[in-house]
Amino acid sequence: MGSKKRSTKSEVEALEGQTDLAMDNTVSVPSGKKIKMDNKKDAEMGDGVASSSAAAGSVKPMERKKKRKQMDKERRRSVLENEEPQPKQMIVESKGNDAPDPVASSSSSSLPEFHISIFKDLASADSSVREAAVETMVSELQEVQKAFDRLENKELVEGVLKLEAQKDDGLDNCASSLRYAVRRLIRGVSSSRECVRQGFALGLTALVATIPSIKVDSLLKLIVNLLEVSSSMKGQEVRDCLLGRLFAYGAIARSDRLTKEWFSDKDTCIIKEFMSALISLASKKRYLQEPSVSIILEIVEKLPAEALFDHILEAPGVPQWFEEAVDVGNPDALLLALKIHEKTSIDSKFSKLLPNPFSPSKLFSADYLSSISNCLKESTFCQPRVHSLWSVLVNILLPDAVLQTEDAASASNSFKKHKKGRKSSSSEEEIANNVQSFCDVVIERSLLLSSHDRKHLAFDILLLLLPRLPSSFIPIALSSKVVQCLMDILSTKDSWLYKVAQHFLKELFDWVRNDDVKRVAVIVAFQKHSSGKFDCITKTKTVKDLMEEFKTETGCMLFVQNLINLFLDEGHASEEPSDQSQTTDENSEIGSIEDKDSVGIVGNADFLKGWVIESLPSVLKHLKLDPEARFRVQREILKFLSVQGLFSASLGNEVTSFELQEKFRWPKATTSTALCKMCIEQLQSLLASAQKVEEPRSLANALEPNDLGSYFMRFFSTLRNIPSVSLFRTLSDEDKQSVTKLLEMESKLYKEERNCRLGNDANKLHALRYLLILLLLQVLLRPGEFCGAASELIICCKKAFAAPDDPDSSGEDESNGDAAPELMDVLVDTLLSLLPQSSTPVRSAIEQVFRYFCGDVTDDGLLRMLRIIKKDLKPARHQEAGSEDDDDDDDLLGIEEDEDIDEAETVETADSDEQSEDSEAVVGGERDDKDPPEDSDESDGGMDDDAMFRMDTYLAQIFKEKKNQAGGETAQSQLVLFKLRVLSLLEIYLHENRGKPQVLTVYSNLAQAFVNPHTTEGSEQLGQRVWGIIQRKVFKEKKLPKDESVPLSTLESLLEKNLKLASKAFKRKKSASTLSKKKLTASLNRYKMVVSLAQNSTYWLLKIIEARNFSDAELQGVFGLLQTILEGYFGSKKSQIKSGFLKEIFKRNPRIGHQLFGFLLENCGNAKSDFRRVEALDLVVEVLKSQVPVNSNEGNLEASKKFLKSHLQSLGQLIETLVKKMPEKKSRKTEVHKCCDKIFQMITLLDLTKTFLKCLGPDTCSACESQLGPVFLKLKNLK
């Protein structure tokens, strides 16, 4: 067993081409000792094993070893007998490390040396080292061979030196060193260690190419003999031997010896032998086929066409190989046939592999592609690499010359309007048919319906097609089945092909990045075959991201035109929907219409049309264009939405307008009402967005201003007057009259606006015009609901901008007489009546109108809006049912009437988590100012019966609307939404009326609404919104409402309520133990927010009072309020007023500290608890800081000295109380020391030390020394 293992090991070492031998020894011809050593090396290299592998099974290893020893003895003896004294000098001997380089020397002094250490460098991982080693090896062996050729008696040399490498190998005309090198290189290419195979193959190539003495036929036999596969070899050994042969054959092919052989002898058989050997090798293993064919193709490229027929196609085994290729599925045979035909145009030698006669149209015909489908399918064995066959097929399928003309044609026609039947050249049609057939048969029917590997191959082939694919062929490549397969893969992340599909999308995205034409084609293909749900099903943002890439007007116009064509196309629906096609996702922001089924959109066709409708306006979302270009794009979108959403053709599906000089088309199938409504909604959004981005009246006097609203009204009127065109729905007489009046009024306002100069009036007219336009669309969208509001709005427009000689307006004035309501009251009522049920664009237009008219809003109109905010969300009967709990809740903060804080009701809003993020954003935004400014007037203001009736009408509209909508939200939630919309108007009002007395009115009512828990019940967002408006638009506003029309008594009343609110305690209810921790936390948080509101309100009100410059006598009421708060602070342990709050009041208002300082000193000394006394010391220090500035002029110092001197006696009494009642707690004692130190410093600064010490008395001074220590001694020493 041991000998067998050694033999196997020797074979493995031979196949791996070991180069780490004892290279420091030399091979010398005359020395028997060195010959023996060389024999041992050859044995280690496996030369003997390789050459006698056929007899390895019959001869035992021990017998073979004995025979070798005997042969060595005979060889040594023959050398010694013929040895002469002179050659001994030429022998290079090496013992140990004496010789620097191992060499193989010839027996004659005339033969140069060959350094066998070069083989070690051939195995280096560094390519430059390998290349240098090859050059050295070739140059040395060339010199050896030249010297050998010059010898006259070659037989003597061969007889003298017969190395183990010089057996009968057919290399008779080669020197022994060359023969040895050839054999070793062949053995080395079978090694899989590091870079041995590459280096040895390169050496063999160079050697065969440069030394003609190496015969190719002998080399072919030697390759088979040395790399023969025996039955005793294992799998890896067999693989190494086969790959060794492959690399050896490749070396021969690249050496150009075969080409030279043919040119020297055209009847040579060596090429046929080589072909036969390669075909035989390729048939052994599947992985050898493609590299074998690549070697053959190298020869085909080098040989002339006349040589291919006899020497390649007629080689033994080749015809049979081609014959069997179709049945067994051999893609390499097909590749070889295509490449040979490309060079020779031979049709008859490939059996069924190629059509006869050959042409691209026949090659890509459905019948032929079906016949070779096995060959194409089997090309997946080399994955993840794509088989070379596909590149050849793609080059034939899409030739470069035709593609350049096609791209130029598509580029020139891409931005033109759609025309039917554009003629194309025959070559373009032929290529299109070929691509269609190829994609249909190969990709769709063969690969996509097969295994995962073949699906992977299908996407790889599409990626090969992309760089050469014209934009007009994209719909063919991205067919329905391809898109469906892509969606099925991407819909499941754990799919085996998920990363493949992701890579395909990435490459596709990169391919269309800078080409609008291709991007449009890809988007349309994806959405067309997914019924507009590609992003939803795949859970990606592919279509959304592609749509955001449009940067130019031409690209947008092209995309819009293609979407319109997609909408009008009746055959767009996918015939083979994916299993995953009904899944939805919210990832796609652009064109996502997941919820439209509830509106009535059913089926894939309507879903796709719905996506088109929603996507058209959104194209402009991320687009940055100049106003002119943007208007042109908006105009095209507006025309489409208007035609499809508002009108229908009574005769056929095409109508030509001679006035507009345009032809309008409708789908053959009647557009559903749901889709028409969608068109109207998107039309409203388009007009609203256009109104926002328009420059204010900068184009008012232009001949053709870019006014999208005006263009729409003219377009609408023109189409409405065409006999064969009618509105998409039948309107009642009242609605028709409303539409007509709206059109007329908008036209009048437009003329008035054009005649008006830049200013507020022009802005008012513009805003009213857009509201009229959007209201007209709202009438068409929801007939019968907006006629009253439309009539009232028209009346307001007439009264606001009527000409003096307008008979309509004058007649109405006369008829109404003195009882006519105020114009702004009617306008406010009209706007409020539109808010509950209007769409978002209409609400945006309402806000624009209110922005320009809010300066004229009456107090009654303002109070009417505020009453909506203060409306309780909990119905009265519910409050009575839970009256017991409500009473407890009202006692929680002990605040009467509207200022009660009902914690139990408040905590129910904690569940509105979905709205918290928005409310936080509202509170945190627009923090413009650092100082918190102003507050409000309380005027609740009564409302007359008519006003209350109108208010109840608004609320009744809300309840009626939600009651009619089955499954909709509750009326209470709708009231919350209505309040939020009114709050938006109030925020605009505060912004536009900064510093006016009405700000106090708004503040007072909003504060009451915030404090009352029933006002914001069930909606945390509503409470946060009120809080945010008060903070941003009231407290942080620089302009204060300091108008003298607001009496001081009003400010005092507000101040009293806020001080009372800030001092109330947080009381737990008796039922608090049954509340959850979450509700208790929410209750406490709301209490803190109410206290914070009261504190900020106090600061703001005091700031207003200070800005009015009242005298001290007038402010006695204010001083009295604060003195009352201080009395409660010192007199009651339950007082929740914070010392920090009082300290901030004294800091911001030094006048108050000046007036209350004596009272503060007295009460601080008489405080009932040490805690309150020590805490109040901060207030004393704060007042002293404000009255005794550190950096003051002499005048201020005298005033400060006078102030402090008047209070020295009280201050001494306070110090006396502190030292005699020193707190026991260490932290409080430390605080007393700090405050006393600060007081003493101020006394020292004003030079009142002596006076102060006299006020203390000796007993107090002794107590101060004992209790205060160094703090007091420092003051005393300064005396």
Side-chain angles (χ1 to χ4, degrees):
M1 291 296 290
S3 61
K4 185 174 183 180
K5 288 182 180 179
R6 285 192 297 270
S7 175
T8 304
K9 182 179 180 180
S10 177
E11 291 176 13
V12 173
E13 290 176 351
L15 295 176
E16 292 182 352
Q18 296 290 343
T19 59
D20 53 351
L21 306 174
M23 304 293 285
D24 55 334
N25 295 320
T26 60
V27 180
S28 184
V29 177
S31 171
K33 184 176 182 179
K34 292 177 177 52
I35 291 176
K36 183 175 182 180
M37 180 273 299
D38 189 64
N39 290 336
K40 289 181 180 179
K41 287 200 299 182
D42 282 351
E44 290 178 0
M45 291 297 296
D47 187 42
V49 178
S51 60
S52 59
S53 58
S58 59
V59 181
K60 293 182 179 180
M62 291 302 295
E63 295 180 359
R64 185 165 61 249
K65 192 174 181 180
K66 290 178 180 179
K67 289 182 178 181
R68 284 182 180 174
K69 288 183 178 180
Q70 185 64 31
M71 291 172 62
D72 289 340
K73 289 179 182 179
E74 294 177 357
R75 187 178 298 135
R76 195 180 303 116
R77 189 181 305 113
S78 63
V79 171
L80 291 175
E81 290 176 355
N82 295 302
E83 188 176 16
E84 298 181 357
Q86 290 82 4
K88 287 183 180 181
Q89 298 175 1
M90 302 299 297
I91 299 171
V92 182
E93 296 186 2
S94 171
K95 294 182 180 180
N97 295 324
D98 295 339
D101 289 316
V103 296
S105 300
S106 300
S107 58
S108 174
S109 60
S110 60
L111 293 183
E113 297 175 348
F114 169 61
H115 299 79
I116 61 176
S117 62
I118 205 69
F119 291 106
K120 183 176 182 181
D121 292 338
L122 286 178
S124 173
D126 189 348
S127 61
S128 61
V129 175
R130 295 199 303 268
E131 292 171 3
V134 169
E135 292 179 2
T136 304
M137 180 191 70
V138 171
S139 62
E140 288 186 1
L141 291 176
Q142 276 183 317
E143 295 299 326
V144 171
Q145 185 61 31
K146 289 178 181 178
F148 180 75
D149 292 338
R150 287 195 296 267
L151 292 177
E152 297 180 358
N153 194 357
K154 296 182 178 59
E155 293 79 4
L156 177 61
V157 177
E158 292 181 0
V160 171
L161 181 59
K162 284 282 189 178
L163 294 175
E164 183 70 18
Q166 290 177 322
K167 296 183 178 180
D168 187 13
D169 50 15
L171 302 176
D172 298 331
N173 296 325
C174 298
S176 56
S177 298
L178 179 58
R179 300 169 73 178
Y180 171 80
V182 169
R183 296 172 66 90
R184 185 161 181 177
L185 289 172
I186 293 173
R187 288 196 299 268
V189 292
S190 66
S191 173
S192 58
R193 185 174 62 85
E194 290 185 321
C195 298
V196 174
R197 184 169 286 139
Q198 292 92 320
F200 279 51
L202 179 60
L204 185 59
T205 302
L207 207 59
V208 175
T210 55
I211 302 179
S213 303
I214 303 174
K215 301 301 182 182
V216 178
D217 54 350
S218 301
L219 201 58
L220 293 175
K221 295 177 182 178
L222 193 59
I223 291 171
V224 176
N225 292 335
L226 292 179
L227 301 178
E228 185 177 0
V229 177
S230 65
S231 59
S232 62
M233 291 184 179
K234 297 181 180 179
Q236 184 61 35
E237 295 172 333
V238 174
R239 185 173 183 273
D240 287 341
C241 283
L242 294 177
L243 289 177
R245 288 194 194 181
L246 182 68
F247 273 74
Y249 292 146
I252 295 174
R254 293 191 176 183
S255 67
D256 292 339
R257 285 292 299 278
L258 295 176
T259 308
K260 294 176 182 178
E261 291 283 344
W262 184 85
F263 279 110
S264 62
D265 182 9
K266 295 185 178 181
D267 295 327
T268 182
C269 297
I270 194 62
I271 298 178
K272 291 185 177 180
E273 293 180 13
F274 181 80
M275 282 292 300
S276 179
L278 263 179
I279 295 298
S280 175
L281 179 65
S283 62
K284 292 183 181 297
K285 295 291 182 181
R286 185 60 178 271
Y287 58 82
L288 297 173
Q289 283 187 5
E290 189 179 9
S292 297
V293 170
S294 66
I295 294 173
I296 297 174
L297 290 177
E298 285 195 32
I299 303 173
V300 170
E301 291 297 326
K302 296 173 183 178
L303 287 174
E306 56 181 302
L308 299 182
F309 186 84
D310 294 329
H311 294 271
I312 300 295
L313 296 178
E314 295 296 333
V318 173
Q320 294 79 6
W321 201 55
F322 285 147
E323 184 71 30
E324 299 170 354
V326 174
D327 297 330
V328 301
N330 188 344
D332 303 292
L334 179 59
L335 172 62
L336 180 60
L338 288 171
K339 296 297 289 185
I340 293 176
H341 179 273
E342 181 182 338
K343 189 169 184 178
T344 63
S345 301
I346 299 175
D347 297 332
S348 58
K349 290 292 183 178
F350 305 108
S351 185
K352 302 176 183 178
L353 269 179
L354 296 182
N356 187 11
F358 181 91
S359 67
S361 59
K362 290 186 177 181
L363 178 66
F364 294 107
S365 65
D367 293 339
Y368 172 74
L369 290 175
S370 299
S371 67
I372 62 169
S373 60
N374 285 338
C375 297
L376 302 177
K377 289 179 182 178
E378 293 302 319
S379 65
T380 56
F381 71 87
C382 60
Q383 277 188 344
R385 186 178 55 81
V386 181
H387 198 281
S388 307
L389 168 66
W390 296 107
S391 299
V392 176
L393 288 175
V394 168
N395 291 338
I396 300 174
L397 180 64
L398 296 171
D400 291 331
V402 178
L403 293 181
Q404 293 175 358
T405 58
E406 172 65 19
D407 283 338
S410 62
S412 62
N413 289 282
S414 58
F415 305 118
K416 295 181 181 179
K417 290 187 177 180
H418 178 74
K419 294 181 180 180
K420 289 186 177 180
R422 186 178 67 88
K423 294 183 179 181
S424 58
S425 63
S426 59
S427 60
E428 291 178 6
E429 293 180 359
E430 181 181 345
I431 293 175
N433 293 333
N434 292 345
V435 173
Q436 179 69 58
S437 178
F438 177 80
C439 293
D440 179 47
V441 177
V442 177
I443 293 179
E444 296 179 17
R445 285 193 273 169
S446 297
L447 299 179
L448 290 183
L449 298 180
S450 192
S451 64
H452 283 359
D453 285 334
R454 290 172 181 166
K455 287 186 175 71
H456 185 180
L457 176 62
F459 289 114
D460 287 338
I461 296 169
L462 289 174
L463 291 179
L464 280 179
L465 288 172
L466 287 185
R468 311 170 67 86
L469 197 67
S471 56
S472 59
F473 290 0
I474 291 177
I476 301 174
L478 295 180
S479 62
S480 173
K481 291 182 179 179
V482 171
V483 175
Q484 295 294 345
C485 179
L486 195 61
M487 290 192 299
D488 290 341
I489 295 169
L490 290 171
S491 62
T492 309
K493 282 194 174 182
D494 55 357
S495 170
W496 185 82
L497 292 172
Y498 185 76
K499 289 186 178 180
V500 175
Q502 277 190 321
H503 175 70
F504 177 78
L505 285 183
K506 179 182 177 298
E507 294 295 323
L508 188 65
F509 195 95
D510 292 340
W511 180 58
V512 303
R513 185 180 301 276
N514 299 316
D515 192 322
D516 289 335
V517 182
K518 293 178 180 177
R519 187 184 304 113
V520 169
V522 170
I523 294 174
V524 170
F526 279 165
Q527 294 298 88
K528 179 178 180 180
H529 300 308
S530 64
S531 299
K533 306 176 187 178
F534 188 86
D535 281 357
C536 303
I537 296 174
T538 60
K539 302 181 181 68
T540 64
K541 296 181 180 180
T542 305
V543 175
K544 172 181 174 295
D545 292 341
L546 287 171
M547 291 175 66
E548 290 178 359
E549 288 294 314
F550 290 106
K551 305 298 181 186
T552 62
E553 178 189 359
T554 52
C556 273
M557 295 294 278
L558 175 65
F559 183 57
V560 168
Q561 189 59 48
N562 275 268
L563 288 186
I564 294 173
N565 294 336
L566 185 62
F567 184 92
L568 298 174
D569 181 17
E570 296 297 328
H572 60 261
S574 177
E575 298 179 358
E576 299 181 13
S578 166
D579 295 338
Q580 310 283 346
S581 60
Q582 301 304 318
T583 60
T584 58
D585 185 58
E586 298 178 356
N587 288 339
S588 181
E589 178 184 349
I590 295 180
S592 61
I593 53 173
E594 291 85 350
D595 298 329
K596 291 299 184 290
D597 285 340
S598 62
V599 186
I601 296 181
V602 181
N604 290 339
D606 274 8
F607 202 102
L608 178 59
K609 289 183 177 181
W611 173 82
V612 171
I613 293 170
E614 289 201 339
S615 297
L616 279 171
S618 61
V619 174
L620 299 165
K621 184 176 182 181
H622 302 279
L623 197 62
K624 296 180 180 179
L625 296 175
D626 60 88
E628 295 287 339
R630 189 178 188 88
F631 176 75
R632 287 192 291 268
V633 177
Q634 288 174 333
R635 186 175 58 191
E636 291 300 315
I637 297 173
L638 182 142
K639 288 191 292 185
F640 168 76
L641 293 176
S642 301
V643 170
Q644 304 301 327
L646 300 177
F647 299 99
S648 61
S650 56
L651 300 174
N653 61 341
E654 287 189 4
V655 171
T656 301
S657 171
F658 296 102
E659 183 177 350
L660 298 174
Q661 296 181 354
E662 282 191 67
K663 180 184 289 186
F664 303 104
R665 293 193 302 151
W666 285 266
K668 293 181 180 178
T670 304
T671 304
S672 64
T673 304
L675 288 176
C676 291
K677 289 182 177 180
M678 284 182 63
C679 287
I680 298 175
E681 291 170 357
Q682 294 302 318
L683 192 56
Q684 287 182 327
S685 299
L686 181 67
L687 290 168
S689 62
Q691 182 188 12
K692 289 180 182 178
V693 300
E694 280 180 2
E695 298 180 4
R697 312 287 53 78
S698 60
L699 299 174
N701 296 321
L703 295 177
E704 290 296 333
N706 294 335
D707 190 323
L708 196 65
S710 174
Y711 179 84
F712 166 73
M713 296 299 274
R714 297 200 307 271
F715 185 80
F716 177 80
S717 300
T718 303
L719 284 183
R720 188 169 175 236
N721 293 328
I722 297 177
S724 58
V725 174
S726 60
L727 290 175
F728 79 102
R729 69 186 344 157
T730 303
L731 298 179
S732 64
D733 293 339
E734 189 177 7
D735 286 331
K736 288 181 180 178
Q737 188 176 5
S738 297
V739 170
T740 303
K741 288 183 177 180
L742 287 170
L743 285 169
E744 293 175 354
M745 180 53 62
E746 191 278 335
S747 178
K748 290 181 180 179
L749 294 183
Y750 178 69
K751 294 177 181 178
E752 187 70 23
E753 181 185 352
R754 294 291 297 259
N755 296 329
C756 186
R757 295 183 178 181
L758 298 179
N760 192 48
D761 289 342
N763 291 330
K764 287 181 179 180
L765 288 165
H766 190 72
L768 278 174
R769 279 185 48 240
Y770 267 85
L771 181 57
L772 291 172
I773 294 169
L774 293 172
L775 191 56
L776 182 147
L777 291 172
Q778 199 72 9
V779 170
L780 296 174
L781 184 64
R782 300 173 67 173
E785 297 183 18
F786 292 89
C787 293
S791 300
E792 291 183 3
L793 186 60
I794 291 171
I795 292 173
C796 291
C797 293
K798 287 180 179 179
K799 289 184 175 295
F801 300 100
D805 56 348
D806 192 340
D808 294 337
S809 60
S810 60
E812 289 175 4
D813 292 340
E814 292 173 1
S815 61
N816 291 330
D818 295 336
E822 288 286 340
L823 169 64
M824 287 310 303
D825 288 344
V826 178
L827 181 60
V828 169
D829 287 342
T830 303
L831 297 181
L832 291 176
S833 66
L834 287 171
L835 278 180
Q837 49 191 340
S838 296
S839 60
T840 302
V842 175
R843 292 198 299 271
S844 176
I846 290 172
E847 292 176 3
Q848 290 292 329
V849 172
F850 186 79
R851 184 184 307 279
Y852 295 117
F853 282 90
C854 64
D856 303 326
V857 172
T858 64
D859 291 341
D860 288 341
L862 181 61
L863 291 175
R864 198 170 299 124
M865 298 169 66
L866 292 170
R867 183 173 178 267
I868 296 174
I869 304 301
K870 294 170 65 176
K871 179 77 176 178
D872 286 353
L873 292 178
K874 176 184 276 190
R877 65 171 184 269
H878 290 173
Q879 295 181 21
E880 293 173 2
S883 59
E884 184 176 347
D885 292 338
D886 291 344
D887 292 341
D888 294 336
D889 297 336
D890 293 340
D891 293 338
L892 188 59
L893 291 181
I895 299 174
E896 296 81 15
E897 299 176 358
D898 288 337
E899 294 175 350
D900 293 345
I901 301 179
D902 188 340
E903 301 302 333
E905 300 300 333
T906 304
V907 296
E908 294 179 5
T909 66
D911 297 331
S912 303
D913 295 334
E914 69 278 358
Q915 298 175 345
S916 61
E917 294 181 3
D918 294 337
S919 57
E920 288 173 6
V922 170
V923 173
E926 299 183 12
R927 303 182 181 272
D928 297 331
D929 306 325
K930 297 181 179 178
D931 297 330
E934 327 165 330
D935 222 90
S936 26
D937 189 353
E938 177 187 3
S939 51
D940 290 334
M943 300 181 68
D944 57 17
D945 293 340
D946 293 338
M948 294 182 67
F949 175 77
R950 285 195 295 269
M951 190 59 54
D952 292 337
T953 302
Y954 306 150
L955 303 179
Q957 288 177 354
I958 297 173
F959 300 143
K960 180 180 178 180
E961 179 184 3
K962 296 315 296 180
K963 188 175 181 181
N964 293 335
Q965 293 183 5
E969 299 178 8
T970 63
Q972 180 176 337
S973 64
Q974 281 300 298
L975 180 56
V976 170
L977 291 177
F978 184 41
K979 286 187 174 185
L980 290 172
R981 295 168 185 175
V982 176
L983 280 174
S984 297
L985 298 183
L986 288 173
E987 187 172 9
I988 294 171
Y989 183 87
L990 289 173
H991 181 77
E992 299 295 331
N993 293 275
R994 291 169 290 181
K996 294 185 179 180
Q998 288 80 4
V999 173
L1000 283 166
T1001 304
V1002 177
Y1003 154 75
S1004 174
N1005 286 272
L1006 290 182
Q1008 290 178 15
F1010 183 79
V1011 172
N1012 182 10
H1014 299 297
T1015 304
T1016 59
E1017 179 184 16
S1019 174
E1020 183 180 356
Q1021 183 186 13
L1022 181 58
Q1024 293 282 6
R1025 185 69 190 279
V1026 174
W1027 169 270
I1029 291 175
I1030 294 175
Q1031 291 291 327
R1032 292 195 317 275
K1033 299 300 180 182
V1034 177
F1035 296 156
K1036 293 185 179 297
E1037 177 54 51
K1038 292 181 179 180
K1039 291 184 179 181
L1040 296 174
K1042 52 185 180 181
D1043 193 275
E1044 294 180 358
S1045 61
V1046 180
L1048 180 60
S1049 59
T1050 301
L1051 297 174
E1052 289 179 353
S1053 175
L1054 284 172
L1055 182 62
E1056 181 182 7
K1057 289 188 176 184
N1058 281 288
L1059 288 172
K1060 184 179 178 181
L1061 188 61
S1063 61
K1064 291 299 180 179
F1066 178 76
K1067 296 180 179 180
R1068 293 181 179 272
K1069 302 195 315 180
K1070 296 178 182 179
S1071 59
S1073 58
T1074 61
L1075 294 176
S1076 65
K1077 184 177 179 181
K1078 183 179 180 181
K1079 290 185 177 182
L1080 285 174
T1081 303
S1083 178
L1084 182 59
N1085 290 338
R1086 187 175 188 279
Y1087 162 76
K1088 292 178 179 178
M1089 290 183 69
V1090 171
V1091 171
S1092 176
L1093 175 66
Q1095 292 176 354
N1096 289 328
S1097 298
T1098 301
Y1099 303 147
W1100 184 66
L1101 289 169
L1102 289 174
K1103 191 174 181 180
I1104 295 174
I1105 293 172
E1106 185 66 24
R1108 295 278 294 273
N1109 295 321
F1110 291 107
S1111 65
D1112 289 347
E1114 292 175 311
L1115 294 180
Q1116 289 303 311
V1118 175
F1119 299 148
L1121 291 175
L1122 292 169
Q1123 184 171 322
T1124 303
I1125 292 298
L1126 285 174
E1127 288 176 355
Y1129 174 74
F1130 288 111
S1132 175
K1133 292 183 179 180
K1134 296 182 179 180
S1135 176
Q1136 292 297 310
I1137 201 77
K1138 303 297 181 184
S1139 64
F1141 171 55
L1142 296 173
K1143 183 178 177 180
E1144 191 69 22
I1145 291 176
F1146 291 139
K1147 181 180 179 180
R1148 296 184 183 209
N1149 302 274
R1151 194 175 178 187
I1152 295 174
H1154 188 277
Q1155 292 290 329
L1156 300 179
F1157 187 60
F1159 179 80
L1160 179 63
L1161 291 175
E1162 180 183 353
N1163 282 271
C1164 183
N1166 298 330
K1168 294 182 179 181
S1169 64
D1170 291 343
F1171 169 75
R1172 191 69 76 189
R1173 184 183 302 110
V1174 174
E1175 192 178 48
L1177 285 176
D1178 273 345
L1179 303 180
V1180 174
V1181 173
E1182 187 60 44
V1183 174
L1184 287 175
K1185 281 183 180 179
S1186 62
Q1187 300 300 323
V1188 187
V1190 178
N1191 300 321
S1192 301
N1193 54 35
E1194 293 182 2
N1196 289 337
L1197 284 175
E1198 287 298 324
S1200 300
K1201 186 174 183 179
K1202 182 179 179 181
F1203 166 78
L1204 188 56
K1205 193 172 183 179
S1206 65
H1207 293 93
L1208 274 181
Q1209 190 66 39
S1210 299
L1211 195 59
Q1213 293 175 1
L1214 175 61
I1215 297 298
E1216 182 180 356
T1217 303
L1218 289 173
V1219 295
K1220 289 183 178 180
K1221 296 181 180 181
M1222 183 63 68
E1224 297 180 358
K1225 205 169 184 180
K1226 187 176 179 180
S1227 60
R1228 292 178 183 173
K1229 187 181 294 185
T1230 303
E1231 191 65 29
V1232 170
H1233 283 213
K1234 288 181 180 180
C1235 291
C1236 288
D1237 187 27
K1238 292 178 182 178
I1239 293 172
F1240 294 160
Q1241 288 178 11
M1242 295 180 190
I1243 292 173
T1244 303
L1245 178 65
L1246 297 176
D1247 197 17
L1248 294 173
T1249 305
K1250 292 181 180 180
T1251 309
F1252 177 70
L1253 290 175
K1254 289 179 182 180
C1255 295
L1256 290 180
D1259 294 339
T1260 305
C1261 287
S1262 300
C1264 287
E1265 289 181 9
S1266 61
Q1267 294 293 338
L1268 300 179
V1271 175
F1272 181 75
L1273 290 176
K1274 185 168 59 173
L1275 175 70
K1276 189 176 181 182
N1277 293 335
L1278 290 174
K1279 179 179 72 169

